[in-house]
Amino acid sequence: MPPQRATLLQVAQRAGVSRSTASFVLAGRHQDMRISEDARQRVLRAAQELDYRPNLMARSLRTKVTRTIALVSDTLASDPYAGRAINGSLAAAVAHGHLLFIGETEGDPVVEEKLISDFLDRQVDAFIYASMFTRYVRLPKQLKGRSVVLLNCLTHRSRPAQHQVIPDELAAGWTAATTLLEAGHRGGIHLVGSPGEHVFAGRERLAGIREGLHAADVRLAGTVECDWWPDSAYEAVSRALAEGLMPQALICLNDRIALGTYQALREAGLDIPDAVSVISFDDSELAAWLRPQLTSISLPHYQLGWQAVEKLLGPASDPAVLRVPMPVRRRASVAKPAVR
């Protein structure tokens, strides 16, 4: 059997003070109650000697505060890359003296309803409602009127009812464009990937790319349509090159597309970055594995998780959409345009 925990009464008896005095000292209220420094030190010493820990369950029953947060996601927690958002949330929760519960629904509404009900039964103080991919969501009815922050997702309301923390994909697109412009590219810049109106990241990235290029009076030369996977990108880029495409630079909508693009360019005898510059988004582990290493705009998963908890537990402010910056990781895949 586990050893019996020391009680507040035992701490008080060992320190030679009343139970209420011991309680005030351990709660940090000794100055309010004008408790002497000698009595405070005796209580603290007794608590240390007895390895006293407060009964949080009993405290929560009195205060109605459990110092716990529930993070409910679709598949965010189980993804090794996006899981860094969990790490950021955990670190911020610990910094605020809170415990973070994590639940994953795999997109099943029945599981989601049961999970939220279980967390409510455990009287969590607040929720983070998270998504693996940035998208528009409808907040579950069970969370209406509760303390909630949305992580990597948005509602359709023009005036948000909750804080919504998302990556700044629009600015990321601008960064991709200006990175190529700074290298000297003014033409032959092609997009690789199908943005798709239903894909939030693709739509925002493309808009940012166009705005960044337009500011320098430059336009995209074209788009190589493909799914966001290496095999589709490889086939599409290989076909475009065989049909006579001669790009100066390729902007890939994610690192998996860049992987397929690398393979197609290599088979066509086009060196990166001497013949063709390549830039991408996400900054996944692929970016550092590829040779040459891939310049990529980073998804700030850790910062997203941290900011979600900060909005939940930090100073109160009006609900708004917080766009977290996406920094560029400059590597070896972008160079000045080839002379042709």
Side-chain angles (χ1 to χ4, degrees):
M1 292 181 63
Q4 190 172 6
R5 291 173 55 157
T7 65
L8 181 62
L9 180 59
Q10 289 172 322
V11 172
Q13 290 173 340
R14 191 180 188 95
V17 299
S18 67
R19 187 179 183 280
S20 59
T21 296
S23 176
F24 288 133
V25 169
L26 295 175
R29 297 180 57 195
H30 56 284
Q31 291 182 330
D32 296 344
M33 308 309 296
R34 298 183 180 180
I35 296 170
S36 70
E37 180 61 19
D38 176 66
R40 187 179 80 88
Q41 290 296 336
R42 293 203 312 273
V43 171
L44 294 177
R45 186 165 53 250
Q48 184 176 18
E49 291 170 353
L50 293 172
D51 191 24
Y52 171 76
R53 288 177 296 132
N55 187 323
L56 297 181
M57 183 68 73
R59 178 183 293 177
S60 68
L61 289 174
R62 293 194 308 271
T63 64
K64 305 300 182 183
V65 175
T66 61
R67 300 187 73 81
T68 57
I69 306 167
L71 188 151
V72 178
S73 76
D74 43 18
T75 57
L76 184 70
S78 59
D79 183 271
Y81 174 49
R84 280 183 279 179
I86 303 295
N87 296 337
S89 298
L90 283 168
V94 169
H96 282 278
H98 280 62
L99 186 67
L100 181 70
F101 294 135
I102 301 167
E104 189 169 279
T105 69
E106 295 187 350
D108 187 328
V110 176
V111 173
E112 179 178 270
E113 183 177 353
K114 177 66 164 61
L115 194 60
I116 293 173
S117 294
D118 287 346
F119 283 139
L120 290 172
D121 288 344
R122 285 163 176 76
Q123 296 183 328
V124 298
D125 298 330
F127 285 84
I128 296 174
Y129 189 72
S131 173
M132 172 67 180
F133 299 106
T134 311
R135 60 189 176 94
Y136 285 98
V137 299
R138 179 173 294 178
L139 196 67
K141 292 180 180 179
Q142 298 155 287
L143 298 183
K144 298 289 177 64
R146 299 188 180 275
S147 181
V148 182
V149 167
L150 275 61
L151 170 57
N152 205 32
C153 52
L154 304 140
T155 61
H156 282 285
R157 296 182 57 159
S158 57
R159 296 183 63 181
Q162 304 85 18
H163 284 294
Q164 302 171 16
V165 182
I166 62 171
D168 196 346
E169 302 280 12
L170 189 66
W174 178 284
T175 300
T178 55
T179 300
L180 293 178
L181 293 170
E182 289 167 1
H185 291 275
R186 290 297 183 275
I189 302 173
H190 292 257
L191 183 74
V192 185
S194 301
E197 279 299 309
H198 63 288
V199 181
F200 183 90
R203 185 174 67 249
E204 293 260 306
R205 290 172 184 180
L206 177 57
I209 291 166
R210 285 175 169 161
E211 288 180 13
L213 294 177
H214 179 74
D217 199 25
V218 175
R219 301 288 186 275
L220 276 174
T223 299
V224 179
E225 298 276 352
C226 67
D227 294 334
W228 291 32
W229 291 95
D231 53 351
S232 179
Y234 166 74
E235 292 170 1
V237 174
S238 294
R239 184 167 54 251
L241 294 172
E243 293 172 354
L245 179 68
M246 291 294 290
Q248 291 276 2
L250 295 174
I251 303 177
C252 300
L253 283 174
N254 74 1
D255 294 341
R256 294 189 298 269
I257 292 175
L259 171 59
T261 298
Y262 264 50
Q263 293 171 325
L265 291 171
R266 186 169 291 116
E267 287 189 7
L270 297 172
D271 291 332
I272 304 168
D274 296 334
V276 181
S277 289
V278 179
I279 190 168
S280 180
F281 296 87
D282 290 357
D283 191 37
S284 64
E285 291 178 340
L286 274 176
W289 291 344
L290 288 169
R291 292 295 180 271
Q293 290 186 327
L294 175 65
T295 295
S296 188
I297 316 298
S298 177
L299 269 172
H301 287 296
Y302 187 94
Q303 291 78 8
L304 289 168
W306 180 282
Q307 287 294 338
V309 173
E310 283 297 315
K311 288 298 180 184
L312 203 57
L313 302 179
S317 59
D318 293 335
V321 176
L322 172 64
R323 290 177 175 264
V324 179
M326 296 174 61
V328 59
R329 306 300 185 197
R330 298 178 186 271
R331 297 189 178 93
S333 65
V334 174
K336 63 183 180 180
V339 178
R340 293 175 180 169

